[in-house]
Amino acid sequence: MIRQAKGKTPRRPPPKKPSNNQKDPVGVYCRVRPLGAEDEECCIEVISNTTIQLHAPDGLKANRNGEFKETQYSFKKVFGIKTTQRELFEDVAKPLAQDLIHGKNGLLFTYGVTGSGKTHTMTGSPGQGGLLPRSLDMIFNSIGPYQAKRYVFKPDDKNGMEVQNQVDALLDRQKRDSQTSVPKTPNTRRVDPEFADMISPEEACKAEGVDEDSSYSVFVSYIEIYNNYIYDLLEETPFDPIKPKWNGAGTPVRNITEFIPPQSKILREDQNHNMYVAGCTEVEVKSTEEAFEVFWRGQKKRRIANTQLNRESSRSHSVFIVKLAQAPLDADGDNVLQDKNQVNVSQLCLVDLAGSERTSRTRAEGNRLREAGNINQSLMTLRTCIEVLRENQMCGTNKMVPYRDSKVTHLFKNYFDGEGKVRMVVCVNPKADDYEETLLVMRFAEMTQEVEVARPVDRPICGFAAGRRQRNQAFKEELTRRLEERGGPVDGDCPTVLNQLLQAFPPLPPCEISGPNDDVTLPRLIEALEKRHKIRQMMIEEYNKTATMLKSVLQEQDGNILSKENVIQEQRGKLGEKDKMLQNQKNEIDRLEKKSKMLEYKIDILQKTTNIYEEDKRSLQNELESREQRLQREMSEKRRIEARMQGMVSDTKLKWEKECERRVNAKQLEMQNKLWVKDEKLKQLKAIVTEGKTENRQPQRPSREKDKVPPKRSASPSPAPTGPPVRPLHRRSHSAGGERWVDHKPTTNVDLDTVMQPNIPNAIKVNAPNEKALSKCDKYVLTHQEVASDGEIQTKLIKGEVFKTRGGGQSVQFTDIETLKQETPVAASRKRRSSESGPDSEPMEGNWTDVETRCSVAVEMRAGSNLGPGYQHHGYTKRRKP
Ligand code: ADP
Ligand code: MG
């Protein structure tokens, strides 16, 4: 942006760089030129007014395994082969020229392969003027009548614009006129045959809304960038044969005496950070023709330089800069306001870029190769800059854009990071030979569309009342008319007002003097004239009075208008500030929205992370719980087993304690019984011995007794220690009177259904001996069954006496055993034999022992106990029951 500092009103300080946040993408247009020859292969098709389609040419397809490739590219607008220069101008350059007139900057460049029509589009040819001459024409058509006189605007050497006072401007004009070399501005369209018909007057167009209360001046510069050197094509180079000549690449040029190559220029940055070519010629031009003539001059110089320096024109970039200076007219509407701050400078750069092809179209060798490399470098930098810009804008990055890497990009830096309208016409030649290069051009062009450039802001309006120029013009016209009226003839078509005035005067008396003595006529005339003079004086006074009055009224009105305009201006300023504030707030909102989006995104991520963690936590907790449950289960299981084990241990312990006690008791009883039996035997022996002394048959008594007793009954030796042996039956009946018996019949006994059942009256019948029963009785009998050796069941009645033990318990002392046996006649002999063996000590002994053991068991064993040897014995007996 090349914008001189400027102000809103004369009273206000100029605003700082206006902040603008509206952006527009780079407008990319595509122009397809017609094929050079009809038989050429075509690789481009315009499929809509915004899209073209590229298809790989046949040769290329064959090279790539016959692969058929079609690609489409879309642009703001596509111009087909039939597009006229005017149509193109209307869409592409007219808005830029319009913007220029409204104080905004524009950049228009053509891009494409050599021969694709860049120069045709930009410059054109006679009868087919391109965008450049058309833009110039439109500018001059629009500002023509409002142009300032030459040298009123004067460029300073720092890319700024000054307003000269009228005297200095006049002097400069006179100096210019005196220099014959510079032709005076042609008032008519002077036609150079070389560029005749570049602009046809019937196609003239005009910008809208041109500020008539401003004064304008157009300055043009024309530069060429070749091999990354900048040359001023409008520079007047004086002939200097002594100085060595150098070409742009820094190598001396030999054998050139008549041609002085231009010196390269450098780029500088002005106070508004705009880049400009330092010391570049800026020619003030007053008409399209003059401007185009200057362009043509530069063009010629370029051509000469190219031939002289053996350069290839397609390798250079040409930049034509149209600068428009505008400043408001002063309050009278007469002259340009003498205030540099009020000058607004806008510029339109028309760039015809070098061919975009990667290698030189002609033979590239030596110097040329290096040049070609540099050209490529410039376009490459342009591509890189566009890429980085696009990336920065699309991704919000802040990468450094390498504008400084080439002069072309450096010069236009401000269009991209400042503000302005940027447009590009991509020129394409549909011929198949260019296919690959065209493909690259298309890619670059598509990418360029994605870059956005800040929209230039509207130029602030100056504080003066509008319509100053018109009023001034009208005033001047009126003045001239009046002056003409004054100096012109009064008769004939004399204005009616004057006639009326003249008629208001008293008529002149006849002025003819009748003779030398006529002293009437003259005095009468004098009187009339004096009268007239008096009226005239009065009229003048009246007129003056009215004039002053009118003037004061007008001035008052003017003042009113001015103050109202000031108020309006102030309001506008406020509005602007509010707008700015609004914009700032919008920006802030945007920023906050972005931030909130970012935060939302972060929250989302955190939420997700939290969810994951919670999920983990839950699963871990579940696992923990299940493990705890398992542990508890195991613990309770362990406790249960422990309890059971303890129970078992204590049970077993108790059992074994009881068992031990029982065994000890049994043993004790057994021992006591043995002792008793031995005692008894001893007594019997003693009795026998003593009886033997009195009666020898005593020892035979058992056998005798056996014979006497019915066969079913065999009596054991009486256990009674004293007295003669008593018949059991008798004794039982006898004892029924005084003794109490405990009749112990184990449940395991078999009912034999015989008469030999012991019948004891008044006995307490028990299945198992118990303390209670024993305590009530003094006699005890156990009915014991066992299988005898012959297989018969033998019942034994084991009798005893109950004693009270010292510990308060009961004990039984066995006194007698009766054996009851049922015998079949067959088995009788055997029975007898077995009973015959009765006196033998050994079997008897065994018999006793067996019975004793059983008795002790019967007495001691608890009912229901399934443990212990005694029971097993009983069980065995039971099983063997017939
Ligand atoms: P570049 O500047 O891209 O190298 P030019 O503008 O010099 O290409 O065009 C090469 C040739 O093609 C010129 O002779 C020009 O007249 C012709 N040409 C280019 N574009 C068109 C077009 N749209 N219509 C007719 N002729 C064209
Ligand atoms: Mg060209």
Side-chain angles (χ1 to χ4, degrees):
M1 182 193 74
I2 311 288
R3 188 181 290 277
Q4 252 329 100
K6 62 206 167 185
K8 270 182 180 170
T9 71
R11 290 167 191 81
R12 278 171 183 281
K16 287 193 182 131
K17 199 170 184 176
S19 66
N20 179 28
N21 297 288
Q22 274 175 308
K23 287 191 161 196
D24 295 306
V26 172
V28 180
Y29 299 84
C30 177
R31 187 185 203 183
V32 185
R33 60 156 280 184
L35 281 171
E38 270 184 25
D39 57 338
E40 258 182 332
E41 195 193 344
C42 177
C43 70
I44 292 172
E45 204 182 320
V46 178
I47 58 172
S48 80
N49 61 356
T50 55
T51 311
I52 62 160
Q53 184 167 288
L54 256 73
H55 34 88
D58 292 335
L60 213 68
K61 267 180 251 164
N63 286 345
R64 295 184 181 167
N65 310 329
E67 176 198 353
F68 192 73
K69 235 175 131 192
E70 275 180 350
T71 40
Q72 289 188 358
Y73 297 91
S74 291
F75 303 98
K76 194 162 180 184
K77 199 161 180 186
V78 170
F79 298 96
I81 51 168
K82 289 196 177 117
T83 312
T84 63
Q85 297 281 60
R86 188 194 171 165
E87 281 163 0
L88 192 79
F89 171 77
E90 289 283 332
D91 275 322
V92 180
K94 198 176 172 180
L96 293 175
Q98 173 91 17
D99 272 5
L100 181 81
I101 290 157
H102 290 105
K104 299 170 189 177
N105 298 324
L107 169 65
L108 172 65
F109 54 95
T110 50
Y111 184 89
V113 178
T114 297
S116 60
K118 297 184 296 295
T119 307
H120 177 78
T121 298
M122 193 54 91
T123 311
S125 49
Q128 282 195 300
L131 301 177
L132 189 146
R134 280 170 200 274
S135 298
L136 285 173
D137 198 40
M138 177 173 163
I139 293 161
F140 284 106
N141 284 338
S142 310
I143 62 157
Y146 317 125
Q147 286 191 78
K149 285 204 176 99
R150 217 179 279 269
Y151 301 121
V152 168
F153 290 102
K154 194 177 183 186
D156 59 15
D157 53 358
K158 293 180 218 78
N159 203 32
M161 199 65 80
E162 278 167 353
V163 186
Q164 285 208 106
N165 62 51
Q166 293 185 46
V167 181
D168 287 346
L170 185 74
L171 285 173
D172 277 352
R173 280 199 292 275
Q174 279 173 355
K175 206 166 101 188
R176 178 181 186 264
D177 289 345
S178 66
Q179 287 171 349
T180 44
S181 61
V182 183
K184 233 190 144 183
T185 315
N187 282 327
T188 51
R189 293 199 174 219
R190 207 196 63 175
V191 180
D192 183 319
E194 250 195 299
F195 54 86
D197 305 322
M198 278 301 232
I199 311 117
S200 39
E202 62 274 12
E203 282 184 356
C205 62
K206 233 177 161 176
E208 284 157 24
V210 182
D211 182 12
E212 295 181 4
D213 291 319
S214 284
S215 216
Y216 303 83
S217 250
V218 176
F219 295 84
V220 293
S221 358
Y222 193 20
I223 58 163
E224 180 183 38
I225 300 173
Y226 187 90
N227 206 14
N228 214 24
Y229 284 93
I230 301 175
Y231 301 104
D232 180 359
L233 292 175
L234 303 182
E235 196 172 34
E236 308 270 341
T237 37
F239 179 69
D240 190 350
I242 300 147
K243 267 191 174 177
K245 285 109 200 157
W246 302 82
N247 74 358
T251 43
V253 178
R254 296 174 214 289
N255 307 326
I256 300 165
T257 46
E258 63 289 328
F259 171 75
I260 297 177
Q263 294 297 297
S264 69
K265 302 278 179 208
I266 56 158
L267 284 178
R268 283 228 178 99
E269 194 176 316
D270 69 9
Q271 55 178 21
N272 297 318
H273 308 291
N274 299 308
M275 298 311 299
Y276 69 99
V277 180
C280 182
T281 314
E282 288 179 282
V283 182
E284 187 174 14
V285 286
K286 292 290 165 202
S287 69
T288 311
E289 290 72 23
E290 193 190 345
F292 202 75
E293 197 197 299
V294 171
F295 168 76
W296 211 250
R297 213 165 69 214
Q299 194 77 338
K300 263 188 205 162
K301 198 163 174 180
R302 188 179 169 202
R303 246 180 284 155
I304 293 166
N306 283 342
T307 28
Q308 292 290 332
L309 300 170
N310 194 23
R311 301 197 308 203
E312 207 179 312
S313 69
S314 69
R315 309 265 115 216
S316 75
H317 314 279
S318 76
V319 184
F320 188 73
I321 302 167
V322 185
K323 233 185 214 184
L324 180 70
Q326 51 188 305
L329 291 173
D330 59 13
D332 294 340
D334 198 11
N335 289 307
V336 177
L337 194 74
Q338 297 277 311
D339 182 357
K340 192 178 176 177
N341 289 334
Q342 292 290 317
V343 181
N344 181 74
V345 183
S346 47
Q347 73 171 26
L348 174 62
C349 289
L350 302 166
V351 187
D352 188 356
L353 287 174
S356 70
E357 59 274 4
R358 286 162 297 182
T359 48
S360 177
R361 297 233 135 185
T362 55
R363 279 180 305 118
E365 49 188 41
N367 249 7
R368 280 222 184 161
L369 191 67
R370 206 179 60 210
E371 287 161 10
N374 270 327
I375 293 298
N376 276 344
Q377 198 55 51
S378 291
L379 290 179
M380 191 106 114
T381 307
L382 178 65
R383 277 192 284 262
T384 313
C385 287
I386 294 285
E387 257 167 52
V388 175
L389 267 169
R390 174 170 155 270
E391 197 189 324
N392 281 349
Q393 289 176 0
M394 290 179 111
C395 313
T397 49
N398 200 13
K399 276 192 190 172
M400 213 264 288
V401 185
Y403 295 114
R404 285 161 194 275
D405 288 4
S406 91
K407 293 283 190 286
V408 177
T409 50
H410 200 186
L411 182 60
F412 300 123
K413 170 176 168 286
N414 252 80
Y415 281 95
F416 293 101
D417 63 12
E419 55 164 53
K421 200 176 257 180
V422 183
R423 291 191 166 187
M424 175 166 92
V425 181
V426 180
C427 298
V428 282
N429 188 343
K431 70 173 179 185
D433 291 352
D434 279 3
Y435 174 76
E436 287 192 70
E437 294 292 348
T438 304
L439 211 63
L440 296 176
V441 170
M442 289 296 128
R443 283 185 197 144
F444 168 69
E446 266 213 329
M447 183 181 67
T448 307
Q449 298 186 98
E450 288 171 357
V451 171
E452 288 190 327
V453 175
R455 187 184 295 176
V457 286
D458 278 322
R459 186 169 59 98
I461 303 140
C462 86
F464 297 118
R468 298 190 300 284
R469 185 187 293 275
Q470 233 167 24
R471 262 182 301 168
N472 186 263
Q473 208 92 16
F475 173 74
K476 277 182 183 164
E477 273 167 24
E478 184 63 22
L479 198 72
T480 355
R481 195 176 59 83
R482 294 260 176 106
L483 282 173
E484 273 168 8
E485 276 166 14
R486 290 272 166 88
V490 178
D491 54 56
D493 55 343
C494 183
T496 41
V497 189
L498 214 65
N499 272 340
Q500 276 166 5
L501 277 173
L502 285 173
Q503 274 156 23
F505 289 122
L508 285 177
C511 314
E512 228 171 90
I513 298 163
S514 47
N517 299 327
D518 188 356
D519 49 356
V520 179
T521 311
L522 272 176
R524 210 190 290 152
L525 189 67
I526 289 166
E527 194 189 337
L529 282 174
E530 269 172 355
K531 227 183 211 168
R532 276 193 172 204
H533 183 70
K534 228 184 239 170
I535 291 169
R536 198 186 125 114
Q537 284 294 321
M538 268 160 63
M539 276 172 81
I540 286 172
E541 266 169 40
E542 194 64 26
Y543 175 81
N544 278 345
K545 242 191 254 171
T546 319
T548 351
M549 203 184 73
L550 264 172
K551 214 173 180 177
S552 69
V553 168
L554 272 175
Q555 266 168 359
E556 208 176 289
Q557 293 295 333
D558 258 3
N560 277 352
I561 289 170
L562 208 66
S563 70
K564 285 210 175 109
E565 265 166 5
N566 281 344
V567 169
I568 288 171
Q569 198 50 48
E570 249 166 51
Q571 295 297 330
R572 272 195 189 136
K574 275 182 194 162
L575 211 70
E577 267 166 27
K578 288 263 155 71
D579 270 356
K580 232 181 269 171
M581 242 160 71
L582 216 70
Q583 196 55 50
N584 284 347
Q585 276 166 1
K586 262 187 202 157
N587 289 346
E588 185 63 14
I589 287 169
D590 274 2
R591 198 182 59 80
L592 289 174
E593 263 173 8
K594 254 182 218 164
K595 206 170 150 185
S596 101
K597 253 184 214 154
M598 193 67 204
L599 286 175
E600 265 169 21
Y601 176 70
K602 275 185 187 166
I603 287 170
D604 213 41
I605 287 176
L606 285 175
Q607 194 75 54
K608 272 177 194 159
T609 319
T610 312
N611 285 350
I612 290 169
Y613 280 142
E614 249 158 30
E615 198 71 37
D616 280 0
K617 195 180 136 195
R618 261 203 297 281
S619 69
L620 285 172
Q621 256 171 357
N622 283 349
E623 203 180 326
L624 196 74
E625 264 166 32
S626 70
R627 280 192 186 183
E628 258 171 13
Q629 274 172 4
R630 214 162 63 204
L631 198 73
Q632 239 146 32
R633 263 206 312 277
E634 278 167 6
M635 290 269 275
S636 67
E637 180 74 6
K638 200 177 130 196
R639 268 201 298 278
R640 205 171 56 77
I641 289 171
E642 246 174 42
R644 216 170 67 194
M645 291 313 279
Q646 255 165 14
M648 263 160 73
V649 164
S650 62
D651 271 6
T652 318
K653 202 173 137 197
L654 209 72
K655 230 176 300 174
W656 281 108
E657 269 172 3
K658 287 257 172 77
E659 176 70 14
C660 287
E661 208 183 334
R662 186 194 61 76
R663 283 190 190 176
V664 167
N665 285 343
K667 206 73 191 170
Q668 264 178 357
L669 206 63
E670 187 194 323
M671 292 321 238
Q672 268 175 7
N673 282 345
K674 270 185 184 169
L675 213 68
W676 180 76
V677 168
K678 275 183 183 153
D679 271 2
E680 205 55 31
K681 277 181 184 170
L682 225 66
K683 270 179 202 165
Q684 278 178 9
L685 222 65
K686 212 167 143 184
I688 291 166
V689 170
T690 45
E691 216 177 301
K693 282 171 188 171
T694 56
E695 196 185 321
N696 280 335
R697 288 153 88 182
Q698 187 69 25
Q700 286 176 338
R701 203 176 60 172
S703 61
R704 219 187 330 155
E705 252 184 17
K706 227 189 290 176
D707 291 337
K708 280 176 200 166
V709 175
K712 279 164 203 162
R713 208 161 171 203
S714 70
S716 56
S718 173
T722 53
V726 185
R727 282 183 185 270
L729 278 174
H730 171 74
R731 215 174 68 190
R732 217 175 286 153
S733 63
H734 163 75
S735 62
E739 295 157 342
R740 266 267 353 241
W741 287 83
V742 173
D743 188 0
H744 179 193
K745 280 197 179 106
T747 47
T748 50
N749 280 9
V750 179
D751 193 1
L752 292 168
D753 204 19
T754 58
V755 289
M756 289 182 299
Q757 294 291 326
N759 184 20
I760 308 158
N762 206 17
I764 297 169
K765 288 192 166 100
V766 289
N767 291 333
N770 56 59
E771 196 86 30
K772 201 177 156 197
L774 286 172
S775 66
K776 285 178 190 161
C777 302
D778 43 7
K779 293 276 185 183
Y780 171 86
V781 61
L782 165 71
T783 310
H784 174 68
Q785 287 181 336
E786 66 181 1
V787 179
S789 54
D790 57 1
E792 290 296 327
I793 290 174
Q794 163 182 292
T795 306
K796 277 182 179 167
L797 296 176
I798 300 153
K799 293 171 186 172
E801 283 178 30
V802 180
F803 296 98
K804 281 202 177 12
T805 60
R806 248 185 256 153
Q810 311 291 326
S811 85
V812 177
Q813 198 164 54
F814 293 93
T815 53
D816 189 18
I817 298 171
E818 266 182 60
T819 304
L820 309 173
K821 196 173 176 187
Q822 230 171 0
E823 250 176 320
T824 52
V826 191
S829 61
R830 244 196 290 166
K831 283 274 149 82
R832 187 169 293 144
R833 241 177 284 149
S834 90
S835 61
E836 271 170 6
S837 64
D840 295 345
S841 58
E842 279 310 304
M844 227 174 110
E845 183 88 3
N847 238 350
W848 275 102
T849 312
D850 187 36
V851 171
E852 277 161 15
T853 312
R854 285 176 200 204
C855 282
S856 71
V857 168
V859 172
E860 290 298 324
M861 285 311 291
R862 221 191 288 164
S865 169
N866 57 350
L867 290 168
Y871 179 84
Q872 275 174 353
H873 198 90
H874 273 277
Y876 171 76
T877 312
K878 196 178 170 183
R879 272 202 300 275
R880 293 292 299 273
K881 179 183 83 170

